[in-house]
Each structure stands twice: as C-alpha cells, then as structure tokens.
Amino acid sequence: MKKIGKLILKIVAVLVGIVGLTLLFVNFRGVPSYEVNIPENIKNVHVEVTPERVARGEKIATIMCNACHANENNRLVGKHIADLPPEFGKAYSLNITQDAEDGIGSWTDGELMYFLKTGIKRNGNYAPIMPKFPRMADEDLKSVIAYLHSDRFPVQATKGVGHEQEPSFLLKVLTNTVMKPLAPITEPILVPDSTDMVTFGKYIANDLIACYGCHSGDFAKEDPLHPEQSFGFYGGGIKMPDLEGNIIPSANLTFDEETGIAKKYNEEQFVQAVKLCKKPDGSLLRYPMLPHLTLTDYEVKAIYAYLKTVPKIKNDVSKL
C-alpha cells in the first residue's frame, strides 16, 4: 500500500509539474501568432471605390469602428479600449488610417478582408479582442474597405504607432486554448432580401453589427460562425465596465415576458432606444450602449422582428 501511495504522489507531482510548465510557457508565449494563408478568392479581391460603397462603408464604420478606433479629433488612429472587461487585461486598437507605415495604407484589399473575417493581421498577429465579421456580406465588407480608402476625414493618413497590447494571463490561456482565429468563409455571402423583415433583421443583428456579441452570456463562449450557438444568446448579462469603471450588465434582448424586452419596449420605443439610446421614460441608456444613428428605422424594426423569434431566456440582469 505504501508503494502505491508513493507512486500516486509521484504521478501527482509529475502532473503538477507539467501543468506548471505549460502555464509558464503560455505566460511567456502570450497571444499566439498564425501563418497567414489567405484563400485565392480573398487574396485577389480588388475593391472599386464608388460613392455608393463609400457611403455604405461609412455607415457601417460609424457603428462598428469609430467607438474603438477614433481619437479625440475623430481620426481612426487607435486608442486604449477603456471599457474592456479588466479580466482580459488592457487592449489598444489599431491605427486604421491610410498612413502607409503606422496605419493600413500599404495593406492590400485581400489582406484587409482576411483580417476582418478572421482576426489575423497580415504579419500573422492575432487580434482576439477585435470583433470579427466572418458572415458579413461580401458587398458590405467591400464597402467598409472602400470607406477606408476614401477621402473621408477620419481615415486620412495620420501618424501614430499603436500601443503594445497588455493581455492578462487569463486571455493568454484562452487564446492558447479556446479563443482561436476564424476560418474565412470563401463562398459568396449576399445581403438578404430586405423585404423579408425577419431574415433581414437577423443579418443586421448577427452578421453586420453583432449585437449578440455584447448581449449574450459570455464573451469566451461566443460563436461568430454560428451566432445562435453562443452561450446565453441574446439573454444578456455580460458584465461590462463603463468609462468610469462601473460595471454594467448587458440587457436581456429576448422576449422573455418577465426579464426580457417584451414588456419594456414596443417597436417604436425599441427604435428610439437603439438609434438614440432613449428609454421609454425619457432617460438615457448607460454606456457602453451607444447611439446607432446611421441605422434606418426600418433596419431597427427588422432587428426587433428578428428578436421576437429568438428563444426566450429568463435572465434578470438587474440582479447581476
């Protein structure tokens, strides 16, 4: 029996040593980099800059890019992401102006599209915090790229090298285990028929602006390739700091009668909340929720129609 006990202790000691060395390796390795392997149909993309695309891209970027990349002068030179949950460390957004050295002025259209789809930069560095858009329609992605190439003020070449990232140990562990770059969808992705309100709303909510990204149950358990499989899909509850460090849980956007938005917002009130951050009582929704001014009333109503079809989740976020 003593021999068996000693053997068990030796096995446990070896296992503890292996785990310790693994964690030490992960800590020094940090967020891993990846081989850049851009599929030919993405690598060869060349975006024609048209007024229509620039306008569409500006609309999308105003919602998805400006809050994280714009400085106090509204130039997209990158900055500290102040509302990142502290357990992930500190993150800094990329300079996405047209500067050839500090920004993305020398990136090809294919490299930009690959980055937006996968989260892998052209040098192989992985951006785990940045939202990915693997299911955004090809034309909308091209519109974003056209906007980045345009004569609009925010994207004009501006110097400014981004700060080194400061990932927490938790984020290092996650990016070495479960948080991985996305495989790019190479099949054509089209914008759905806008007359099919539910399908159109699903596209806007899930694939264009990724509302579920904040309004599900756990950042680390989201599935951008299959959003509906994300943990707590639209049930809210992710604890997000505001700019003062106060913790604000994201809202439950399912139509659960007790804890969701079924009784809180009718269609018109929902439009006011999404576009203007205005509650039915006239008060304002708290940051990190921001106004989505560039969405049309119809687009927001389409999101509302889609959310009605999402499985209800009973989650009283006011108690979190």
Side-chain angles (χ1 to χ4, degrees):
M1 290 296 292
K2 290 183 178 179
K3 289 184 178 180
I4 294 175
K6 289 181 179 179
L7 179 61
I8 292 174
L9 288 175
K10 287 181 179 180
I11 292 173
V12 170
V14 169
L15 291 175
V16 169
I18 291 173
V19 170
L21 288 173
T22 300
L23 294 177
L24 187 64
F25 167 76
V26 167
N27 188 50
F28 280 102
R29 184 191 190 197
V31 176
S33 296
Y34 292 84
E35 180 182 356
V36 178
N37 186 19
I38 306 178
E40 288 299 316
N41 65 325
I42 296 178
K43 182 186 295 185
N44 296 327
V45 164
H46 176 69
V47 175
E48 180 184 359
V49 178
T50 65
E52 294 77 17
R53 277 181 171 164
V54 170
R56 175 69 174 171
E58 184 173 35
K59 170 178 178 168
I60 297 170
T62 298
I63 300 171
M64 300 307 302
C65 307
N66 288 14
C68 289
H69 290 274
N71 66 5
E72 63 278 4
N73 298 318
N74 198 34
R75 282 285 172 85
L76 304 185
V77 296
K79 62 182 179 182
H80 174 227
I81 308 300
D83 56 351
L84 181 72
E87 58 266 28
F88 290 137
K90 293 182 179 180
Y92 303 84
S93 55
L94 184 68
N95 182 337
I96 56 173
T97 71
Q98 295 165 12
D99 186 84
E101 296 176 350
D102 296 345
I104 57 172
S106 62
W107 289 41
T108 68
D109 294 344
E111 288 170 341
L112 286 170
M113 182 169 284
Y114 184 71
F115 178 48
L116 291 170
K117 282 176 172 284
T118 67
I120 301 177
K121 302 176 185 178
R122 67 173 183 172
N123 62 1
N125 288 346
Y126 173 45
I129 299 302
M130 194 198 84
K132 289 83 179 171
F133 307 98
R135 293 157 43 111
M136 187 182 290
D138 298 338
E139 183 56 35
D140 280 340
L141 277 173
K142 290 178 180 178
S143 293
V144 172
I145 294 171
Y147 168 69
L148 294 173
H149 291 326
S150 74
D151 60 358
R152 297 296 198 263
F153 176 83
V155 298
Q156 296 311 294
T158 306
K159 304 300 292 183
V161 179
H163 193 286
E164 288 293 324
Q165 305 299 323
E166 300 177 26
S168 67
F169 180 68
L170 172 62
L171 186 60
K172 293 176 184 178
V173 171
L174 290 174
T175 54
N176 278 275
T177 53
V178 297
M179 289 178 69
K180 302 289 185 178
L182 303 178
I185 297 173
T186 57
E187 295 78 14
I189 305 176
L190 304 177
V191 177
D193 181 1
S194 62
T195 63
D196 182 342
M197 186 170 265
V198 170
T199 301
F200 188 53
K202 178 181 179 180
Y203 169 72
I204 298 169
N206 293 351
D207 306 329
L208 188 68
I209 59 177
C211 304
Y212 74 91
C214 292
H215 291 280
S216 293
D218 190 333
F219 281 128
K221 297 179 181 179
E222 292 174 359
D223 187 346
L225 290 174
H226 310 92
E228 296 90 343
Q229 296 179 19
S230 298
F231 174 75
F233 186 59
Y234 282 113
I238 291 179
K239 296 179 181 180
M240 305 174 67
D242 63 13
L243 297 178
E244 285 74 45
N246 302 305
I247 300 301
I248 311 295
S250 60
N252 181 347
L253 297 187
T254 71
F255 271 71
D256 178 70
E257 288 78 5
E258 295 181 19
T259 64
I261 61 172
K263 292 182 179 180
K264 297 178 182 178
Y265 295 95
N266 60 32
E267 183 184 67
E268 187 54 42
Q269 291 168 335
F270 185 75
V271 170
Q272 294 293 305
V274 172
K275 294 187 65 174
L276 303 175
C277 284
K278 183 180 177 181
K279 294 182 182 180
D281 63 5
S283 63
L284 296 179
L285 293 168
R286 295 177 294 176
Y287 185 92
M289 179 63 182
L290 293 170
H292 292 63
L293 295 171
T294 60
L295 290 178
T296 66
D297 287 7
Y298 182 83
E299 288 170 330
V300 182
K301 289 177 181 179
I303 294 174
Y304 189 79
Y306 166 63
L307 290 175
K308 286 183 176 180
T309 71
V310 172
K312 300 174 183 178
I313 295 178
K314 189 175 296 296
N315 184 25
D316 185 357
V317 300
S318 66
K319 296 180 179 180
L320 296 178

